[in-house]
Amino acid sequence: MEIFQIIFLALIQGVTEFLPISSSAHLILPSQVLGWPDQGLAFDVAVHFGSLAAVLIYFRKDVWSLICDGLGGFRNGQFSDDGRLAWLIVLATIPAGLAGLIFKDFIELHLRSAAVIATTTILFGILLWWVDVRGKRSEELSALNWKKALLIGCAQALALIPGTSRSGITMTAGLMLGMKREAAARFSFLMSIPVIALSALLLTMELFDTESVPWGDILMGAVLSGISAYLCIHFFLQFISRIGMAPFAIYRLLLGAALIWMIWST
């Protein structure tokens, strides 16, 4: 790939991985509008590891506490709030893992189209806006229980459908269950860690079957994706309580409309 293409796609992927605006919708537009070739498997691996590094570094203290308290609860016979949260994240990961194993081939064959992405971008954007306005937004992360975590996990499984947005649908589910905006966003980011890690691992295994790997592209893509993802997480958590989800929902509607126009004009 050209240097500009690597920079542009890595930055876009890093930002959209954690904003509720759908990364798949943004990656289809450059190829359709600018005629860029597919970025390839190696680049997908790079940006996944970049996003994973960003969320691990940003939440490094939380992650360490979750691991220690989650495992330490078995030794002590009692789980702290962080220990309980760790296992809720594990529980919330199961639906997406199972859905990925069962429906991966079907989704890649039948749902990776501009029409599907446009539809899901608009529909889930409207749902995000509606829930943000109508939700109670009163519960902290400490109030999360296993039933709510499992429901959010089932919502995360829907993100396998292109255009849904993993962060968008999990935040929507959190808000629907009465969580505060920042609490819903924090849980969404934390539960992204095992999902992104598993996805990166699977892509890496597929990459071993390729004959040549552009290591320069991989390194640049990983670094740029990681930097943009880190900044995205930081500023999103700083401002989400004040700005709400409306700007992202409106953006999704405009993006979906652009995709529909693109489909009809070709």
Side-chain angles (χ1 to χ4, degrees):
M1 292 191 295
E2 298 292 334
I3 296 296
F4 175 76
Q5 185 180 353
I6 296 172
I7 295 173
F8 182 84
L9 291 178
L11 293 177
I12 289 294
Q13 174 65 30
V15 170
T16 57
E17 180 67 41
F18 295 105
L19 289 183
I21 55 178
S22 174
S23 59
S24 56
H26 286 80
L27 291 178
I28 193 175
L29 277 174
S31 62
Q32 295 288 333
V33 176
L34 302 176
W36 287 354
D38 182 83
Q39 61 267 22
L41 181 60
F43 188 82
D44 288 342
V45 172
V47 296
H48 274 78
F49 274 110
S51 299
L52 179 62
V55 71
L56 284 174
I57 292 172
Y58 190 87
F59 291 108
R60 58 192 180 277
K61 294 181 180 178
D62 302 71
V63 171
W64 180 248
S65 180
L66 289 171
I67 293 173
C68 292
D69 291 2
L71 296 176
F74 292 107
R75 183 177 64 253
N76 302 329
Q78 186 175 1
F79 289 95
S80 65
D81 287 343
D82 281 346
R84 189 174 62 86
L85 179 60
W87 289 106
L88 290 178
I89 291 172
V90 172
L91 177 64
T93 304
I94 294 174
L98 291 176
L101 290 174
I102 297 171
F103 299 110
K104 181 178 181 293
D105 292 339
F106 176 83
I107 290 171
E108 290 184 350
L109 286 174
H110 302 288
L111 299 182
R112 297 186 67 86
S113 67
V116 170
I117 292 174
T119 302
T120 52
T121 297
I122 292 173
L123 289 180
F124 287 113
I126 294 173
L127 181 61
L128 175 64
W129 196 348
W130 183 81
V131 169
D132 189 48
V133 172
R134 303 288 294 182
K136 294 180 180 179
R137 303 201 311 271
S138 59
E139 294 188 359
E140 299 287 353
L141 192 54
S142 57
L144 191 67
N145 57 35
W146 72 268
K147 292 181 181 179
K148 293 181 179 180
L150 187 58
L151 287 173
I152 297 174
C154 290
Q156 181 171 239
L158 290 175
L160 292 169
I161 303 173
T164 301
S165 171
R166 193 211 60 83
S167 58
I169 195 63
T170 51
M171 290 181 206
T172 298
L175 292 170
M176 190 177 294
L177 294 170
M179 297 176 71
K180 291 183 177 180
R181 289 169 179 153
E182 186 174 351
R186 182 171 289 271
F187 187 63
S188 172
F189 293 155
L190 287 173
M191 67 188 292
S192 75
I193 294 174
V195 171
I196 296 176
L198 289 172
S199 179
L201 179 61
L202 289 173
L203 288 173
T204 301
M205 292 173 65
E206 293 180 19
L207 187 61
F208 287 147
D209 294 331
T210 62
E211 295 182 359
S212 61
V213 177
W215 293 109
D217 293 0
I218 285 183
L219 180 60
M220 182 181 295
V223 170
L224 292 176
S225 174
I227 292 173
S228 58
Y230 184 94
L231 293 174
C232 171
I233 295 171
H234 175 73
F235 287 110
F236 186 84
L237 290 175
Q238 290 289 321
F239 297 110
I240 188 58
S241 295
R242 282 176 281 175
I243 65 176
M245 298 294 183
F248 304 105
I250 293 171
Y251 180 81
R252 288 182 67 119
L253 296 180
L254 295 175
L255 179 62
L259 286 169
I260 292 173
W261 174 83
M262 183 184 68
I263 294 169
W264 283 350
S265 62
T266 56

